[in-house]
Amino acid sequence: MSQRPFILAAEGVNKSFAGFQAIRDLNFYMDPGELRTVIGPNGAGKTTFLDLITGRAKPDTGTIRFGADHELTGLNEYEIYRLGIGRKFQTPTVYADHTVFENLVMSLEGSRGVWASLFAKIHNTQRDRIQEILETIHLGDKAQWKAGALAHGQKQWLEIGMLLAQNAQLLLVDEPAAGMTDEETHRTGELLLSLAGKHSIIVIEHDMVFIRQIAAGRRVTVLHQGSVLCEGPVDQVQNNEKVIEVYLGRKHAHP
Ligand code: ADP
Ligand code: MG
């Protein structure tokens, strides 16, 4: 039997914190270029799953394969980052006192560390690449702005741009719509959709309008108590009885 060329394949993954099992026999497969939305109630293990992919936490058991050649569970955070896995946290982590342009320069693949890269000569190809990223993230006219002066949504786009500069193949994006206006949320959806295909993307979200925008015609995964509860097209998932029960569970438990 030929194996499908998954970009990410997590199998039999378990992770406990002081006796609490946050991830339970998790199996998760993703195709190259896929944009996958992961939903699930608070505490379902969504962020922990990203921690396990990026090496921030180590699974107790199981394997996480990246592409055909890499088993991630034995690598440290930096090695995983260098393989092309980029993560965007909920709170933007841009260098506020540096310009948008400089933030992107500092993230360029192969850059020699944050400070050295600021003083190094930038090649024309790098300049072109940054210009292309600036257009992609809708900050073409803000290249010389201090990152700290950007609106919340723009900071989040810059951070996505930094993942692109890093040349990440797999983008992990945790609750991007949090704190955004409806307009910013919609533009973020458009940005992620424009990156799908060229990149593989996992988006963790709660905002149902946003999820319907980015997940239309795509697979959605529902995590619950550290396992995949349900996976499928967004309409199917939204109408799945187990999913409805999990989201309304408290109501049934405490009438
Ligand atoms: P989600 O992102 O789906 O809301 P998390 O992955 O953040 O859920 O958390 C899943 C569970 O694991 C929660 O009960 C959380 O308290 C626990 N947990 C996550 N990380 C740690 C940690 N570093 N130490 C202890 N408990 C943790
Ligand atoms: Mg979380």
Side-chain angles (χ1 to χ4, degrees):
M1 208 175 82
S2 72
Q3 276 222 314
R4 276 166 74 183
F6 295 115
I7 187 70
L8 192 75
E11 291 186 319
V13 176
N14 286 280
K15 177 66 181 177
S16 294
F17 295 105
F20 176 82
Q21 196 160 4
I23 296 291
R24 188 184 303 267
D25 197 26
L26 178 69
N27 298 298
F28 180 95
Y29 303 90
M30 208 173 133
D31 294 327
E34 196 180 342
L35 167 55
R36 177 77 63 88
T37 306
V38 176
I39 66 173
N42 273 335
K46 303 179 298 294
T47 299
T48 302
F49 180 41
L50 299 192
D51 289 343
L52 295 174
I53 296 171
T54 58
R56 188 177 226 218
K58 288 290 162 199
D60 301 326
T61 61
T63 58
I64 304 176
R65 274 176 293 128
F66 176 56
D69 301 328
H70 302 286
E71 159 59 40
L72 300 180
T73 52
L75 305 179
N76 67 36
E77 272 189 282
Y78 184 65
E79 290 166 330
I80 292 170
Y81 167 92
R82 289 295 299 266
L83 285 177
I85 297 180
R87 178 177 191 173
K88 212 202 85 44
F89 288 90
Q90 261 173 270
T91 15
T93 50
V94 297
Y95 297 97
D97 292 334
H98 287 275
T99 67
V100 169
F101 188 88
E102 287 168 342
N103 269 273
L104 292 171
V105 170
M106 290 186 277
S107 304
L108 278 178
E109 189 197 21
S111 89
R112 284 162 290 168
V114 170
W115 305 111
S117 64
L118 277 182
F119 298 105
K121 269 228 161 77
I122 301 166
H123 302 293
N124 283 336
T125 48
Q126 292 177 316
R127 192 172 291 278
D128 292 349
R129 175 75 187 122
I130 289 177
Q131 196 53 45
E132 186 188 328
I133 293 170
L134 283 167
E135 304 298 333
T136 303
I137 60 176
H138 302 296
L139 294 178
D141 57 346
K142 307 251 175 347
Q144 298 311 322
W145 279 41
K146 288 267 164 68
L150 296 174
H152 172 75
Q154 294 171 329
K155 281 184 194 146
Q156 306 262 357
W157 302 335
L158 173 55
E159 227 193 344
I160 291 173
M162 289 160 74
L163 301 185
L164 301 179
Q166 174 201 326
N167 204 18
Q169 299 308 305
L170 174 61
L171 312 182
L172 310 173
V173 187
D174 202 348
E175 300 192 24
M180 282 191 182
T181 65
D182 290 351
E183 163 75 17
E184 286 174 333
T185 300
H186 187 76
R187 293 189 76 166
T188 303
E190 287 178 339
L191 171 57
L192 292 171
L193 287 167
S194 78
L195 298 175
K198 286 171 266 177
H199 301 266
S200 309
I201 311 172
I202 297 177
V203 182
I204 292 176
E205 246 315 319
H206 290 293
D207 181 329
M208 226 29 237
V209 175
F210 181 67
I211 290 166
R212 295 195 67 86
Q213 180 195 358
I214 62 171
R218 299 170 194 274
R219 272 188 292 182
V220 172
T221 298
V222 185
L223 275 193
H224 175 54
Q225 295 178 349
S227 301
V228 174
L229 179 72
C230 165
E231 203 164 73
V234 64
D235 288 313
Q236 206 172 300
V237 161
Q238 259 194 307
N239 294 313
N240 181 289
E241 268 184 37
K242 284 186 293 182
V243 174
I244 293 168
E245 213 174 284
V246 160
Y247 273 97
L248 304 177
R250 287 201 193 96
K251 218 160 135 189
H252 295 289
H254 309 283

